[in-house]
Amino acid sequence: AKYTVLYFWSYDCSHCKKETPILLEMYKKMKAEGVQVYAVSTELKTEPWKKYIKENNLTWINVADPYNQSNFRKTFDVYQTPIIFLLDENKKILAKRIDVEQLEKILQSFIDQDKKKKDK
């Protein structure tokens, strides 16, 4: 993807329940611009997570690490949810620890810059 939104979240987190639908709407609008969401569950229980994904039609990439093998919490300093990182196509971090509103503004700025480069 041109841009990857790395989204650490939990199906039972009250803040995530507010942010996830907003992120989903943003994703639907920006998917055609090369935006992909890679959503990482911070929970160990997979059945309620899968149910939440299905009920809320979260069509982006959804992953979980119920056995704590990837050590993502330490690697990305995940101690709360939700946490959002924005990565470029080379997976370089462009923005970190932002909310969905900030994410949309930042993404739109990058997309606009890309369009200006193409027009030249």
Side-chain angles (χ1 to χ4, degrees), residues 29-63:
K29 287 192 302 189
M30 296 187 149
K31 185 178 180 182
E33 302 288 346
V35 175
Q36 183 56 263
V37 175
Y38 189 87
V40 181
S41 172
T42 60
E43 295 295 323
L44 301 179
K45 296 177 183 175
T46 58
E47 287 310 311
W49 167 70
K50 289 177 185 178
K51 181 180 177 192
Y52 188 92
I53 290 168
K54 187 173 184 173
E55 287 175 352
N56 293 279
N57 199 28
L58 304 181
T59 58
W60 51 53
I61 299 168
N62 292 286
V63 298

Side-chain angles (χ1 to χ4, degrees), residues 11-106:
Y11 61 83
D12 67 352
C13 155
S14 62
H15 294 293
C16 298
K17 287 179 181 180
K18 290 180 195 172
E19 294 286 303
T20 302
I22 300 167
L23 179 61
L24 182 59
E25 288 308 308
M26 186 220 68
Y27 172 66
K28 289 176 182 177
K29 287 192 302 189
M30 296 187 149
K31 185 178 180 182
E33 302 288 346
V35 175
Q36 183 56 263
V37 175
Y38 189 87
V40 181
S41 172
T42 60
E43 295 295 323
L44 301 179
K45 296 177 183 175
T46 58
E47 287 310 311
W49 167 70
K50 289 177 185 178
K51 181 180 177 192
Y52 188 92
I53 290 168
K54 187 173 184 173
E55 287 175 352
N56 293 279
N57 199 28
L58 304 181
T59 58
W60 51 53
I61 299 168
N62 292 286
V63 298
D65 182 12
Y67 304 110
N68 290 316
Q69 294 179 324
S70 67
N71 206 23
F72 72 84
R73 285 176 180 80
K74 184 175 181 186
T75 302
F76 290 95
D77 195 24
V78 176
Y79 54 87
Q80 67 184 34
T81 55
I83 296 177
I84 298 173
F85 289 78
L86 176 60
L87 311 176
D88 70 7
E89 61 195 329
N90 299 312
K91 305 312 173 230
K92 176 184 167 196
I93 297 172
L94 299 173
K96 60 184 174 179
R97 300 194 176 276
I98 54 176
D99 63 27
V100 176
E101 186 177 298
Q102 293 169 314
L103 170 66
E104 188 166 5
K105 289 177 184 174
I106 293 167

